[in-house]
Amino acid sequence: MTRSNLTRMAIAVALAGALSGCGLSGGGDVKEAEKTGKVAGEITFRTLQLKPKFTGYVQGVIDAFEKKYPDVKVKWEDVPGDGYNEKLVADAQAGALPDVVNLSTDSFQLLGDRGMLADVAKLDGEVAKDYVPGAWEQFKLPGKGDGVFAYPWYVTPEILTYNKDLFVKAGLDPAKPPTTVEQFFDYAEKIAATSGGQYSAFMADPKGRLPGDWQKMGVPILNEKQDGFVFDTDKAVAWVERMKDLYAKGAMPKESLLKSDDINQLYGAGKLVFGPGSPGFIKDVKQNSPQVYAHTQVAGTVTGTLGHIGIYAQSLGIKKDTKHLDAATEFAKWVTNGPNQVAFSKNATIYPSNAKGLADPYFADRGDGTDAETTARAIGAESLKTAQLDANTPVQWTNQVGDAVVREVQKAINGEQDARTAVKKAQEEANALLAKTARK
């Protein structure tokens, strides 16, 4: 239902600690580059784990840019996923960030907040119209006004994946998937009552579900100043109580409360009704579990009454003190333009953040409605055009905060404490951690 927090938490802690420890917490000593009007010079472009699968695509984009701007030389470096963010930290310490760097929402926020990235909205105020509003807004920062500190690149929205055969067995209509968190729980309860223990509705995974579920239910996560957690509400308590009840009734695999099982494997084995909310997952099922894929249906993700979804987004940040600002910004816009993003999307299960790219007919084609992968592509694209992205995890919800909240929630779901106490203690611990971070 909500995008997994995955690397967000670990990255946040690692980068925050390393950057503050090396004297980069303010970033005030980083001189801001200025445009000269000449697109020239040698720039470094770093990507995350795109070689060798996408070498031809990326090199083609670079070659075309250099042909258009013969005075520019782009040096491309691709870094493996393992240790990527540690390398960013080391480069930040050494003042050696690439001119154009591939960033996730996590590393972008922490580098941007410390003044290491150029404000691209300030550099080119008209460029905002080129991108889907939700993706553009994704790269603003708390307390930084209208500044935008990276060009949106490729994105992946949430969708809803479910086994329609198991839906029917539970007495549910596959044409009417759940649209709110509360309705999702209602469906899960019915599935548990009819499955006879042969399969479950969804994974418990509180860490992956929070704070997204709460946001979709209208639970406030932070106060207006963004300096304190305020999720201790009746709605949050009701969520914990419902999770406890569903867990006891067998709506979730028992082991999924305390550890992360392979959800792809469970869904592919027909042991789970709702699969991961990622379009890329559909392709995995198609390749590895064709029998279950034949019963797989997709729909727009559970959004709640507010219409909120989360997305996983990649961006291109510009080194604030790059020596070749004109070349770096033009290249970042080139990589993220409509045609180049569409071409990339046809090679991978991703979506353009570029508005013209997302409007390409490729993303509107649902075929005859029987192929889940084709339908998922169209549904994901449609949701991105109008998505409200408030369900994305705020940067204040660090790995430590998430762990603290989950510990208390798990105790309540297991019956070790009541839900109200769990939420109250979770907020207290979260605020203590937030205050500790602020003092550093």
Side-chain angles (χ1 to χ4, degrees):
M1 288 172 63
T2 184
R3 77 175 180 86
S4 172
N5 292 323
L6 296 176
T7 56
R8 169 184 291 276
M9 310 308 178
I11 294 168
V13 174
L15 283 175
L19 290 175
S20 61
C22 69
L24 294 176
S25 58
D29 56 344
V30 178
K31 184 178 179 181
E32 188 170 6
E34 296 182 1
K35 284 189 173 183
T36 64
K38 185 177 181 181
V39 182
E42 180 174 313
I43 58 174
T44 302
F45 173 44
R46 179 182 296 167
T47 55
L48 169 61
Q49 205 165 318
L50 295 184
K51 291 183 178 180
K53 186 173 183 179
F54 302 107
T55 297
Y57 164 76
V58 176
Q59 191 59 57
V61 171
I62 292 172
D63 291 345
F65 181 79
E66 291 179 339
K67 183 176 181 180
K68 182 176 181 180
Y69 297 101
D71 292 331
V72 178
K73 175 64 178 176
V74 179
K75 180 182 178 182
W76 176 29
E77 59 180 45
D78 188 70
V79 180
D82 290 343
Y84 182 72
N85 291 285
E86 289 81 355
K87 181 170 178 57
L88 282 179
V89 170
D91 288 342
Q93 290 175 322
L97 285 174
D99 300 283
V100 181
V101 58
N102 182 181
L103 300 170
S104 68
T105 50
D106 312 288
S107 47
F108 138 76
Q109 286 173 313
L110 288 154
L111 292 179
D113 191 49
R114 287 159 178 78
M116 307 302 295
L117 302 173
D119 180 350
V120 300
K122 181 180 177 182
L123 291 173
D124 187 354
E126 295 298 312
V127 76
K129 70 179 185 302
D130 293 339
Y131 301 93
V132 176
W136 180 254
E137 296 288 324
Q138 182 91 155
F139 298 103
K140 290 186 174 182
L141 289 165
K144 298 288 186 178
D146 292 328
V148 176
F149 296 88
Y151 292 98
W153 195 7
Y154 57 93
V155 297
T156 305
E158 294 178 290
I159 60 171
L160 187 69
T161 305
Y162 55 100
N163 186 316
K164 58 186 177 183
D165 185 48
L166 297 182
F167 244 56
V168 173
K169 287 184 178 181
L172 299 169
D173 184 351
K176 297 179 179 178
T179 59
T180 68
V181 175
E182 294 85 352
Q183 190 179 39
F184 181 87
F185 285 163
D186 290 342
Y187 279 36
E189 185 166 4
K190 193 163 187 179
I191 290 166
T194 57
S195 68
Q198 295 182 25
Y199 50 88
S200 302
F202 66 103
M203 303 288 278
D205 187 24
K207 190 167 185 176
R209 303 187 70 82
L210 295 176
D213 272 13
W214 286 350
Q215 290 166 306
K216 292 174 181 180
M217 294 169 65
V219 175
I221 304 302
L222 293 160
N223 60 22
E224 290 187 7
K225 293 183 178 180
Q226 305 285 293
D227 62 359
F229 290 103
V230 293
F231 54 76
D232 184 3
T233 63
D234 289 345
K235 285 186 178 181
V237 172
W239 182 91
V240 177
E241 289 175 338
R242 196 73 193 278
M243 285 283 286
K244 176 183 177 180
D245 182 58
L246 289 170
Y247 185 69
K249 291 177 177 177
M252 308 163 237
K254 292 295 182 183
E255 62 277 8
S256 68
L257 179 61
L258 300 175
K259 68 174 184 176
S260 299
D261 279 356
D262 188 338
I263 187 171
N264 290 30
Q265 184 176 357
L266 284 174
Y267 182 87
K271 298 295 185 181
L272 210 58
V273 175
F274 293 102
S278 165
F281 161 73
I282 303 295
K283 181 174 288 187
D284 180 80
V285 175
K286 188 175 186 177
Q287 293 175 344
N288 300 314
S289 306
Q291 289 183 328
V292 172
Y293 179 78
H295 299 296
T296 294
Q297 192 156 317
V298 294
T301 189
V302 169
T303 61
T305 57
L306 304 180
H308 293 174
I309 71 167
I311 66 170
Y312 179 73
Q314 292 283 328
S315 64
L316 295 182
I318 305 296
K319 181 182 177 184
K320 188 176 181 180
D321 58 349
T322 175
K323 294 180 180 178
H324 305 291
L325 184 60
D326 301 78
T329 55
E330 288 304 316
F331 179 69
K333 288 191 288 185
W334 177 264
V335 174
T336 61
N337 70 24
N340 283 329
Q341 288 211 40
V342 170
F344 196 8
S345 299
K346 289 180 178 180
N347 284 280
T349 311
I350 55 175
Y351 295 78
S353 62
N354 184 280
K356 290 183 179 178
L358 198 61
D360 189 279
Y362 174 72
F363 297 100
D365 181 16
R366 296 192 182 214
D368 61 5
T370 61
D371 180 65
E373 184 178 10
T374 303
T375 305
R377 180 170 61 242
I379 288 174
E382 188 63 31
S383 69
L384 282 171
K385 294 177 182 178
T386 58
Q388 297 294 321
L389 305 177
D390 294 5
N392 278 347
T393 306
V395 68
Q396 293 89 339
W397 189 285
T398 63
N399 189 51
Q400 289 176 305
V401 168
D403 285 343
V405 172
V406 167
R407 278 195 300 269
E408 299 305 324
V409 168
Q410 285 173 332
K411 291 176 186 177
I413 295 174
N414 267 332
E416 297 175 28
Q417 66 181 352
D418 65 271
R420 190 163 295 279
T421 298
V423 175
K424 180 177 183 293
K425 289 173 66 176
Q427 180 171 294
E428 289 173 350
E429 293 190 36
N431 277 323
L433 288 166
L434 189 60
K436 183 178 180 180
T437 301
R439 288 195 298 268
K440 289 182 176 180

